[in-house]
Amino acid sequence: LLAALDQGRFDLILCDYALPSFNGMDALTLTKERCPDVPFIFASGTIGEERAVEALKARATDYVLKDRTARLGPAIQRALQETQERRKRKQLEEEIRRLAYSDPVTGLPNRISLSERLEEFLRAGDQEQGPAALLLMDLSHFADINNTLGHKNGDLLLQKVGQRLKRA
């Protein structure tokens, strides 16, 4: 199981609860440690209500009784759809965070990011820290560039300056 989890990318794991040489709950625990976002569905004829509740508390996505296999298709569809929605939500949250903490033109950290980093730095001031520096730059007559050459060219200038700062 561990070798398969380390090698493969799974959309879903379907596992019997009663395995001949391995415990289904152990399989669930190992899977959630290595691949926490992969849906895990138990298929069993012997799981029972108490074990099913225990499995769901241990983060199994669902369980299907072997005498009710008609429920398997919908359970798989639901699990895959929920996983896709979680991944999409996570991507959107990361994008919102990126937009909130970086300048949209240059991609460099913005004032909010600077303020938070400075607060963290100052709060940790009593702990041993290395030297720190703050660089303040100003593009002289930048407003003239925007006014004479247009905002598009002003943005291009800012992007080029940002790229040079990132490289430096």
Side-chain angles (χ1 to χ4, degrees):
L1 174 64
L2 293 176
L5 290 172
D6 289 340
Q7 288 179 0
R9 170 151 162 47
F10 301 94
D11 292 323
L12 180 129
I13 294 177
L14 182 63
C15 180
D16 197 331
Y17 186 83
L19 300 170
S21 61
F22 199 64
N23 179 311
M25 287 299 287
D26 290 340
L28 172 63
T29 301
L30 291 172
T31 299
K32 290 304 176 180
E33 287 173 0
R34 303 260 174 139
C35 306
D37 296 330
V38 174
F40 191 104
I41 298 176
F42 278 114
S44 179
T46 61
I47 194 168
E49 187 176 337
E50 286 182 26
R51 288 189 194 138
V53 170
E54 178 186 336
L56 293 173
K57 285 181 180 178
R59 297 186 358 208
T61 307
D62 204 346
Y63 69 94
V64 176
L65 299 176
K66 287 182 179 177
D67 63 348
R68 298 185 187 217
T69 55
R71 210 175 82 61
L72 184 59
I76 290 173
Q77 279 185 319
R78 183 184 58 79
L80 293 175
Q81 184 177 13
E82 287 175 358
T83 301
Q84 185 178 24
E85 288 170 3
R86 269 194 307 277
R87 286 181 183 151
K88 188 174 182 177
R89 185 172 40 252
K90 186 176 179 179
Q91 288 174 341
L92 290 172
E93 288 170 357
E94 288 172 5
E95 179 67 9
I96 288 169
R97 180 166 176 74
R98 187 189 63 77
L99 290 171
Y101 289 95
S102 65
D103 178 76
V105 175
T106 64
L108 294 171
N110 64 13
R111 286 182 185 166
I112 295 171
S113 182
L114 172 66
S115 295
E116 287 186 7
R117 289 181 186 180
L118 280 174
E119 281 182 32
E120 285 176 28
F121 182 79
L122 294 173
R123 256 183 280 150
D126 58 342
Q127 299 170 3
E128 189 173 321
Q129 300 181 57
L134 178 62
L135 173 67
L136 177 62
M137 290 183 62
D138 183 34
L139 295 178
S140 297
H141 308 288
F142 179 72
D144 294 339
I145 293 170
N146 269 341
N147 292 335
T148 58
L149 300 175
H151 290 281
K152 184 177 181 179
N153 287 317
D155 286 353
L156 286 173
L157 175 62
L158 289 174
Q159 289 169 351
K160 293 292 182 188
V161 170
Q163 289 168 359
R164 288 184 182 183
L165 285 172
K166 286 177 187 176
R167 282 196 304 265

